[in-house]
Amino acid sequence: MAVKIKLKRLGKIRSPHYRIVVADSRTRRDGRAIEEIGLYHPVQNPSRIEVDSERAQYWLGVGAQPTEPVLAILKVTGDWQKFKGLPAPAPMLVAEPKADKRALFEAAAKEAGDEPKGEAVTAKAKKTEKKAEAAEADASTESTEA
């Protein structure tokens, strides 16, 4: 049985996510896989690539053939060079960790602590209040005239 390491597509129409899988070469792209050995999310910046290096080395060692896109991913992660005995590539870019939302909220609340505590009234609300006051004034003048 010919075994390939290939990408299994997941996700929405314009939001692809892939799993790096080991599957029989005769199965369809999103068909049944023998084993999942990694993730590839190309939409994120930088792309998210996670490969179980130990399992990738095993499958390459027993003769599994990577497809061209998977070969490129394995070269980026350094697994292909490790399998072939070549020098390791430059390290991958890693996304910066996101800031804690609670800490950001507390910092914003602390900065806003000296601001006035009055009602938050928008310009549109002020206009409607003025119209309502004018209508009341007109109604009171009409009632006094009659």
Side-chain angles (χ1 to χ4, degrees):
M1 172 169 73
V3 177
K4 289 214 173 232
I5 303 174
K6 55 187 179 179
L7 295 177
K8 179 179 182 178
R9 191 181 194 284
L10 303 168
K12 298 178 186 176
I13 291 175
R14 289 175 184 80
S15 175
H17 301 289
Y18 298 94
R19 289 190 183 154
I20 302 169
V21 298
V22 178
D24 182 10
S25 62
R26 296 170 289 186
T27 60
R28 59 186 191 270
R29 178 189 69 179
D30 301 335
R32 186 171 172 200
I34 298 170
E35 183 180 357
E36 293 180 2
I37 61 170
L39 299 172
Y40 175 51
H41 295 225
V43 178
Q44 294 180 357
N45 190 12
S47 297
R48 180 179 172 198
I49 299 173
E50 295 177 16
V51 178
D52 185 355
S53 182
E54 183 180 311
R55 297 307 295 165
Q57 294 299 318
Y58 168 77
W59 283 107
L60 290 170
V62 296
Q65 295 296 312
T67 59
E68 288 183 23
V70 173
L71 181 61
I73 291 170
L74 292 176
K75 285 182 179 179
V76 168
T77 61
D79 291 318
W80 184 253
Q81 289 86 338
K82 189 175 181 182
F83 173 67
K84 289 292 188 177
L86 300 172
M92 294 190 312
L93 291 175
V94 179
E96 295 179 13
K98 292 183 179 179
D100 182 31
K101 288 184 179 182
R102 177 169 281 209
L104 290 174
F105 175 76
E106 289 174 357
K110 193 178 270 188
E111 288 178 15
D114 59 342
E115 291 185 15
K117 304 289 185 200
E119 261 184 77
V121 180
T122 62
K124 188 174 183 179
K126 287 180 183 178
K127 287 180 183 177
T128 57
E129 287 176 8
K130 287 181 182 178
K131 286 181 182 177
E133 289 174 5
E136 287 178 15
D138 289 342
S140 64
T141 55
E142 287 178 8
S143 63
T144 54
E145 291 177 2

